[in-house]
Amino acid sequence: MQVAAARARRLLALPAASGIPGILSGPIPGRASCAEGVLLYRLNGAPASPSSPQHTRGFSSSCFASRSHCNLPSPTIASQWLNEKSVHCHMTTAHFSTEASDMDHPTEAVEEMYQKMLKSVEAETMPPNAWLWSMIDSCSNKEDIKLLFQILQKLRRLSNLRISANFNEHLCRKVTEACARVGAVDYGLKALWKHNVYGITPTIGSAHYLLQHAKEQNDNKLMENVIHVLSKNFLPLQPGTADIVFSICYNADRWDLLSKYAERFVKAGVKLHRAAFDIWMDFAAKVGDSQSIWHINSLRGRSVKHYTLATGFACAKGSLLDRKPENAADKIKLLYEHLPDQKKPFVKDELEKLIAGWPTEVVKRQKKDKRKELEEALMKDIPTMVDCLTKSGLDIPVELDKLATPQLQVA
């Protein structure tokens, strides 16, 4: 009943309902026909306002007196109104039902839990934690999240509210997880501000839920907003943060963004994971930035001992960009020797990608006046690199004729 009453109050608040005075009143003799005439008159665009004192007095004196004394319009106009009655009523009903259906209502479970907790708050007693967890887990749309934040604000105002730090951090993670789950990112960002009215303390782990949502949605704008809020609230960046941010930039093909945030992570002293270096160096090789490859590799060497397939081949590509095919061959051979046995077969796959796919990718990213020069250099240096690999004892069969395909000819 409480849920139904709450929904009824919201429907009555709609413009289509609030603009028709007395529409929900019961039938009273002598009023129906006059009220009907005034209603149709209003729908026809009369300028009178229901809040106007003159209108109110005129309405009550003329229509709420008796049927015989009601000041109805002339018969001709009244007939026209009656003929158009069904059209106007249909338009009003359609407007009302459309607005109601377009509204995103809270789910019944969430609204019921909200009402229960609200009664507890009004009685100045702290509701059981299980109610709050249940409400959070039940959130499935933005209106649910709106109710959740409303009750959090009311709980925060209770004078007898005492929440432990661990509970608070867990609460923030659960809330932001729910926001990300239903796509209510605006509320999720509110939870990341330190001084908020909801009584929750933001953590970097909570921000990761929003960043993961940005990754799933390929939304680099949301990622930038999250990082901005983290900076404003002095929340420390973590290696896991870099993993998500780097992958978002890579998927969005935004080398400029990755470079920007990578510098921020490095300045903050974040110890990047191996996965972050894989993404960073592979992207640098894809855009043809050999200086960045060597800079990133220097940073990588301080925290990660061994090369991966991604970082090893990025260094080989860096040597090719520097016109040093012999060095590229040495790096691939060294990588092969130090890789675990189960990963050595993948060296052939990466070498084939270097020959067939990477040249086209890196050439097209260069300025037009530099493309031809780089194309000719790679056409010459890649076969030299493969020949050096064979002479060094690492004979990996590859198809060099793919270098001569028209795909490499970039306009």
Side-chain angles (χ1 to χ4, degrees):
M1 292 297 293
Q2 294 172 347
V3 175
R7 288 182 178 174
R9 286 194 297 270
R10 283 196 304 273
L11 291 176
L12 288 176
L14 290 171
S18 61
I20 306 175
I23 195 171
L24 296 180
S25 301
I28 300 177
R31 298 186 186 180
S33 60
C34 187
E36 180 178 82
V38 174
L39 171 59
L40 293 176
Y41 182 59
R42 286 173 50 79
L43 289 175
N44 249 347
S49 169
S51 60
S52 170
Q54 293 83 356
H55 176 81
T56 304
R57 287 195 297 269
F59 188 91
S60 59
S61 62
S62 62
C63 296
F64 286 175
S66 67
R67 182 177 302 182
S68 59
H69 294 88
C70 183
N71 295 326
L72 289 172
S74 64
T76 303
I77 299 178
S79 176
Q80 182 180 356
W81 282 344
L82 289 175
N83 290 335
E84 297 177 356
K85 172 184 173 182
S86 60
V87 177
H88 287 295
C89 290
H90 176 73
M91 292 174 61
T92 306
T93 304
H95 174 69
F96 188 91
S97 61
T98 301
E99 289 204 14
S101 62
D102 287 345
M103 287 183 63
D104 197 8
H105 299 297
T107 57
E108 186 172 351
V110 170
E111 192 162 6
E112 182 177 349
M113 191 60 65
Y114 173 81
Q115 295 295 337
K116 289 173 62 176
M117 297 179 71
L118 183 60
K119 283 186 176 181
S120 181
V121 170
E122 290 173 347
E124 296 186 352
T125 58
M126 185 64 184
N129 291 342
W131 289 6
L132 184 58
W133 299 134
S134 176
M135 185 176 183
I136 295 173
D137 291 337
S138 300
C139 288
S140 59
N141 60 42
K142 293 184 180 181
E143 289 298 314
D144 288 346
I145 295 295
K146 184 177 180 180
L147 283 185
L148 172 62
F149 273 72
Q150 287 179 8
I151 201 64
L152 285 173
Q153 188 171 358
K154 294 179 185 298
L155 291 173
R156 178 68 178 85
R157 292 172 180 172
L158 283 178
S159 58
N160 63 340
L161 180 60
R162 296 292 182 270
I163 299 179
S164 65
N166 290 336
F167 176 89
N168 206 328
E169 292 182 2
H170 184 51
L171 174 63
C172 186
R173 287 196 297 270
K174 291 284 288 182
V175 169
T176 51
E177 180 184 12
C179 291
R181 185 176 66 246
V182 306
V185 294
D186 49 343
Y187 281 97
L189 289 171
K190 290 181 181 180
L192 297 182
W193 286 89
K194 281 189 175 181
H195 303 291
N196 59 71
V197 296
Y198 309 108
I200 52 180
T201 302
T203 63
I204 190 65
S206 301
H208 286 178
Y209 286 112
L210 295 180
L211 287 174
Q212 191 63 38
H213 177 74
K215 179 180 178 180
E216 293 170 358
Q217 300 297 319
N218 294 319
D219 191 347
N220 56 286
K221 291 295 184 182
L222 173 58
M223 176 203 72
E224 294 182 75
N225 288 337
V226 173
I227 298 298
H228 175 73
V229 173
L230 294 180
S231 176
K232 288 292 184 180
N233 290 273
F234 304 102
L235 290 174
L237 300 172
Q238 299 292 333
T241 318
D243 292 343
I244 306 174
V245 170
F246 283 22
S247 60
I248 292 174
C249 295
Y250 188 92
N251 294 338
D253 199 22
R254 292 292 301 274
W255 171 247
D256 58 327
L257 274 185
L258 196 152
S259 301
K260 170 186 172 181
Y261 289 117
E263 182 180 359
R264 186 175 299 184
F265 280 102
V266 171
K267 285 186 176 180
V270 178
K271 187 177 180 181
L272 299 178
H273 289 152
R274 180 176 297 175
F277 283 116
D278 284 355
I279 295 172
W280 195 5
M281 291 185 66
D282 182 65
F283 207 165
K286 186 163 69 170
V287 300
D289 190 344
S290 62
Q291 290 185 352
S292 291
I293 292 175
W294 306 129
H295 171 64
I296 302 165
N297 190 51
S298 175
L299 296 173
R300 182 205 61 80
R302 301 174 190 174
S303 56
V304 181
K305 291 183 178 180
H306 301 294
Y307 284 95
T308 63
L309 283 167
T311 55
F313 270 88
C315 289
K317 293 171 183 175
S319 295
L320 288 171
L321 291 169
D322 292 341
R323 301 298 310 273
K324 298 178 180 179
E326 296 83 2
N327 288 354
D330 291 341
K331 293 183 185 303
I332 295 175
K333 186 175 186 298
L334 187 64
L335 171 66
Y336 184 86
E337 291 174 351
H338 288 87
L339 279 176
D341 290 340
Q342 64 268 25
K343 290 190 176 182
K344 288 183 177 180
F346 295 104
V347 172
K348 182 178 185 297
D349 297 335
E350 293 299 320
L351 187 56
E352 289 178 343
K353 292 178 184 177
L354 183 152
I355 295 172
W358 174 67
T360 303
E361 179 71 27
V362 71
V363 168
K364 75 179 183 181
R365 291 176 178 270
Q366 308 307 306
K367 294 181 179 180
K368 289 186 177 181
D369 58 340
K370 300 290 185 181
R371 291 177 182 177
K372 187 64 177 179
E373 179 183 355
L374 179 59
E375 178 184 343
E376 292 175 350
L378 293 177
M379 290 283 289
K380 178 180 178 181
D381 292 343
I382 289 178
T384 302
M385 177 195 72
V386 174
D387 186 56
C388 290
L389 279 174
T390 303
K391 291 179 179 178
S392 67
L394 184 60
D395 188 9
I396 301 178
V398 291
E399 299 179 16
L400 285 174
D401 58 339
K402 291 184 177 180
L403 273 173
T405 61
Q407 292 180 338
L408 194 58
Q409 307 298 325
V410 181

